[in-house]
Amino acid sequence: MDSSALNSPDLQRFLNQEKEKAMVNEMVAKLTSVCWDKCITSTPGNKFSSSESACLSNCAQRFMDMTMIIMKRVQSMQ
Amino acid sequence: MDSFSTGSSGTGPPQFSTDEFMDQMKVQLAQAYAQEFLETVREKCFEKCITKPGSSLSGSESSCVPRCVDRYIEATGIVGRALLTSRSNS
């Protein structure tokens, strides 16, 4: 790839998309790890109980709620 | 870098197209994601299934592991979908 190809808008768009995808992937991976630890307390079975799957879903959403609160709090301090 | 060359005349450095570069990047990214996922699943399922390491894997430990992998994949889906829901609502 010669240096002029580095400026191609296709490549820039691609890199931005992949960067965004990587950030989303990292967030999902981290959240799954945290929520798995919180919600799956017993030996994994053949399927999740309804309380386990509700816990996982709630955990993810509450984590996002908490993130908003933290950001607002920090912003209000500046 | 030979795999990237598109048959240049050989007078300069190998030239490869943006498309080939992007394809190659996608493959490498997918491999990196898969590797990371594998390591996480391994850690989580070792913790949940192998509570008292013995001189070999017991029957219940061996059957726990594939179930755990399935559940972790399912958990990733649940969390991913919950994230999409909260993002669209915010």
Side-chain angles (χ1 to χ4, degrees), chain B residues 23-75:
Chain B
D23 284 346
Q24 188 68 7
M25 259 216 84
K26 278 192 239 184
V27 168
Q28 289 183 356
L29 280 168
Q31 282 173 348
Y33 293 147
Q35 179 76 7
E36 192 186 335
F37 186 76
L38 203 74
E39 283 168 11
T40 306
V41 170
R42 193 173 57 173
E43 184 193 316
K44 297 297 184 193
C45 292
F46 189 83
E47 193 190 313
K48 288 277 184 255
C49 293
I50 319 298
T51 45
K52 275 186 152 49
S55 54
S56 65
L57 282 178
S58 74
S60 65
E61 285 171 335
S62 306
S63 57
C64 175
V65 173
R67 286 201 310 264
C68 174
V69 173
D70 288 351
R71 294 291 73 71
Y72 199 84
I73 290 170
E74 195 181 337

Side-chain angles (χ1 to χ4, degrees), chain A:
Chain A
M1 196 164 61
D2 63 29
S3 57
S4 65
L6 287 172
N7 295 327
S8 101
D10 278 351
L11 186 59
Q12 291 305 315
R13 186 170 45 238
F14 169 78
L15 288 175
N16 285 332
Q17 277 173 357
E18 289 306 316
K19 194 161 67 172
E20 169 111 25
K21 277 197 238 173
M23 280 163 52
V24 171
N25 180 279
E26 190 186 336
M27 175 61 86
V28 172
K30 182 155 67 174
L31 260 182
T32 305
S33 172
V34 164
C35 295
W36 172 274
D37 289 345
K38 277 206 189 302
C39 295
I40 313 305
T41 47
S42 56
T43 310
N46 287 319
K47 57 184 179 123
F48 285 136
S49 69
S50 57
S51 68
E52 281 172 327
S53 46
C55 179
L56 286 168
S57 175
N58 289 336
C59 172
Q61 292 179 349
R62 297 298 75 75
F63 190 94
M64 296 311 288
D65 290 345
M66 187 198 67
T67 304
M68 291 305 300
I69 294 173
I70 291 173
M71 277 167 48
K72 284 184 189 149
R73 182 90 188 130
V74 169
Q75 274 170 1
S76 73
M77 287 173 176
Q78 288 165 350

Side-chain angles (χ1 to χ4, degrees), chain B residues 79-90:
Chain B
V79 167
R81 280 191 296 277
L83 208 67
L84 274 175
T85 314
S86 75
R87 267 155 72 102
S88 65
N89 285 343
S90 61

Side-chain angles (χ1 to χ4, degrees), chain A residues 1-6 8 11, chain B residues 1-8 12-25 28:
Chain A
M1 196 164 61
D2 63 29
S3 57
S4 65
L6 287 172
S8 101
L11 186 59
Chain B
M1 295 300 255
D2 279 349
S3 58
F4 290 126
S5 74
T6 52
S8 66
Q15 304 284 304
F16 53 95
S17 71
T18 307
D19 282 344
E20 282 171 339
F21 174 77
M22 293 195 291
D23 284 346
Q24 188 68 7
M25 259 216 84
Q28 289 183 356

